[in-house]
Amino acid sequence: MFRKIEKRQITALGGDKQEEYQSLLLKRKLLAVEIEIHAKGQYETFAQKLPFNATKVVGIVVCSTVSDMSEPTVFGRCYFGTGPGKQSSESFIKSLDSELILSERTVIRIQPNEKEHHKDDEDEDDDDHDHDDWTYYAQPKRLGNPVIKMGGKAVESRNPATTSILDDATGIREDYYIWKSQEDNHSEIEIEIIQQVLQP
Amino acid sequence: MKTGEIALFEKKGLFFKADVYDSQHQENQEETNLLSKIDFSEGFDFPVNLNMEVVDVEGNTGYITGAYKDAGNVREFPYRIKVWLLIEEEPVPLKDRP
């Protein structure tokens, strides 16, 4: 609601030319009408009932939003989280958190020791670390080697492990590159992934 | 990109006609301004980027009707058209201040 006090002249006396004014409280408010267009060339009509106390329509704003209603392009699903050393099995990767890759840059935050991992996977663990403090990131192999920054520092992203993973949401199985942090992490870490190749 | 054309009608006929352009970013800004930056002390002054068209149409006509025609330039559907009408209500007389 927009309010304003305005003085309007109500009389003008002829003899001494004294003018009188009355103060009026003017109130304006916005009403929105929204329509959806579903096809090329569509003709759509609409009606907006005006409030009973409306005296005037004094302004119009028209907005068109195309891109935010369209489906975003999905480049794939990435998996991330923490776990014991030398993990690369499909079941381990799918036990991590996942997110759709929707743009060139993805930023995720990983809490250490968030999840219980499969016992089978832990049996494959090496001797140096058997706790869940290593950070893992996996994405489709077709997207190539991204630039990966953990906690603001770029990490080595060459020679990742490869595993075939079935995306349960789409039913598509494809090879994934899997990266593991070079140091174990004991606190929340932010990972920034910048894709070098983007293809749906 | 022009998305289409819009026309608004009151009881006496057409009072507003305009081409409509994709304004996703602008709309977000506008809505933010409208909802969170209303400063009553500034009266009716709108943010500059609102691009409000000033009209003067009787408001006691019951309905405002409108028609929108897609221009055929948009590839991805659906998309959304939002029309904001700035309505003025019956003025309330105030006692004169000293």
Side-chain angles (χ1 to χ4, degrees), chain A residues 1-5 7-8 21-51 53-71, chain B residues 3 8 16 20-24 27 30 34 40 43-44 46 50 52-60 62-70 72 74 76-94 96-97:
Chain A
M1 177 73 79
F2 304 83
R3 296 168 192 268
K4 182 182 185 184
I5 295 174
K7 284 196 171 184
R8 287 186 182 172
Y21 292 87
Q22 184 179 34
S23 294
L24 298 170
L25 174 63
L26 302 183
K27 294 190 284 187
R28 292 179 176 181
K29 67 180 179 184
L30 285 158
L31 297 177
V33 191
E34 192 170 282
I35 56 173
E36 270 190 24
I37 302 300
H38 294 268
K40 193 166 277 194
Q42 182 176 339
Y43 182 79
E44 188 74 25
T45 59
F46 55 90
Q48 172 64 49
K49 190 174 191 326
L50 298 175
N53 56 351
T55 57
K56 279 196 223 176
V57 180
V58 292
I60 305 286
V61 178
V62 182
C63 302
S64 167
T65 54
V66 174
S67 28
D68 70 334
M69 292 219 28
S70 57
E71 291 292 322
Chain B
T3 62
L8 299 177
F16 179 80
V20 181
Y21 294 87
D22 181 20
S23 55
Q24 181 202 356
E27 187 211 28
E30 285 167 3
L34 289 171
F40 295 148
F44 295 153
F46 282 86
L50 253 179
M52 177 164 282
E53 298 283 342
V54 176
V55 295
D56 189 358
V57 176
E58 278 186 38
N60 55 1
Y63 284 86
I64 295 293
T65 58
Y68 176 81
K69 175 84 164 62
D70 175 73
V74 178
E76 293 172 331
F77 295 92
Y79 69 92
R80 198 172 54 202
I81 300 294
K82 189 181 277 187
V83 182
W84 297 91
L85 302 173
L86 183 62
I87 307 296
E88 185 167 300
E89 297 182 353
E90 187 72 41
V92 178
L94 299 174
D96 282 335
R97 296 174 182 176

Side-chain angles (χ1 to χ4, degrees), chain A residues 28 53 57 86 95 97 109 128 130 136 153 186 192:
Chain A
R28 292 179 176 181
N53 56 351
V57 180
K86 285 194 176 174
S95 73
D97 289 326
R109 300 190 76 83
D128 55 355
D130 58 358
Y136 286 87
K153 292 192 296 186
H186 301 281
E192 180 183 11

Side-chain angles (χ1 to χ4, degrees), chain A residues 134-145:
Chain A
W134 299 93
T135 301
Y136 286 87
Y137 175 77
Q139 71 172 38
K141 183 180 176 181
R142 64 183 154 77
L143 296 178
N145 280 11

Side-chain angles (χ1 to χ4, degrees), chain A residues 2-199:
Chain A
F2 304 83
R3 296 168 192 268
K4 182 182 185 184
I5 295 174
E6 186 175 281
K7 284 196 171 184
R8 287 186 182 172
Q9 185 177 348
I10 52 174
T11 56
L13 303 178
D16 53 4
K17 295 187 179 178
Q18 187 178 1
E19 296 176 340
E20 285 188 15
Y21 292 87
Q22 184 179 34
S23 294
L24 298 170
L25 174 63
L26 302 183
K27 294 190 284 187
R28 292 179 176 181
K29 67 180 179 184
L30 285 158
L31 297 177
V33 191
E34 192 170 282
I35 56 173
E36 270 190 24
I37 302 300
H38 294 268
K40 193 166 277 194
Q42 182 176 339
Y43 182 79
E44 188 74 25
T45 59
F46 55 90
Q48 172 64 49
K49 190 174 191 326
L50 298 175
F52 71 94
N53 56 351
T55 57
K56 279 196 223 176
V57 180
V58 292
I60 305 286
V61 178
V62 182
C63 302
S64 167
T65 54
V66 174
S67 28
D68 70 334
M69 292 219 28
S70 57
E71 291 292 322
T73 302
V74 177
F75 299 100
R77 181 181 298 278
C78 64
Y79 296 88
F80 51 90
T82 56
K86 285 194 176 174
Q87 296 293 326
S88 62
S89 70
E90 181 181 9
S91 59
F92 167 75
I93 296 301
K94 288 174 73 171
S95 73
L96 302 176
D97 289 326
S98 71
E99 195 169 295
L100 294 176
I101 300 170
L102 300 173
S103 65
E104 187 182 55
R105 180 175 175 269
T106 306
V107 177
I108 52 183
R109 300 190 76 83
I110 295 179
Q111 300 276 355
N113 300 317
E114 276 185 324
K115 292 196 168 200
E116 297 272 337
H117 298 298
H118 297 279
K119 276 288 175 197
D120 292 346
D121 297 326
E122 289 178 5
D123 292 342
E124 298 168 9
D125 195 9
D126 58 1
D127 295 333
D128 55 355
H129 289 279
D130 58 358
H131 46 79
D132 286 2
D133 289 338
W134 299 93
T135 301
Y136 286 87
Y137 175 77
Q139 71 172 38
K141 183 180 176 181
R142 64 183 154 77
L143 296 178
N145 280 11
V147 173
I148 301 176
K149 293 180 180 176
M150 289 191 182
K153 292 192 296 186
V155 300
E156 177 64 60
S157 66
R158 284 179 292 182
N159 303 318
T162 305
T163 296
S164 173
I165 293 177
L166 174 68
D167 186 338
D168 295 328
T170 62
I172 296 172
R173 177 175 287 281
E174 64 180 318
D175 284 346
Y176 268 68
Y177 277 157
I178 301 163
W179 289 272
K180 189 188 80 169
S181 60
Q182 292 156 334
E183 298 171 358
D184 52 353
N185 299 312
H186 301 281
S187 58
E188 184 184 70
I189 188 166
E190 183 179 276
I191 303 184
E192 180 183 11
I193 301 102
I194 302 164
Q195 307 294 342
Q196 306 299 299
V197 178
L198 265 185
Q199 53 186 41

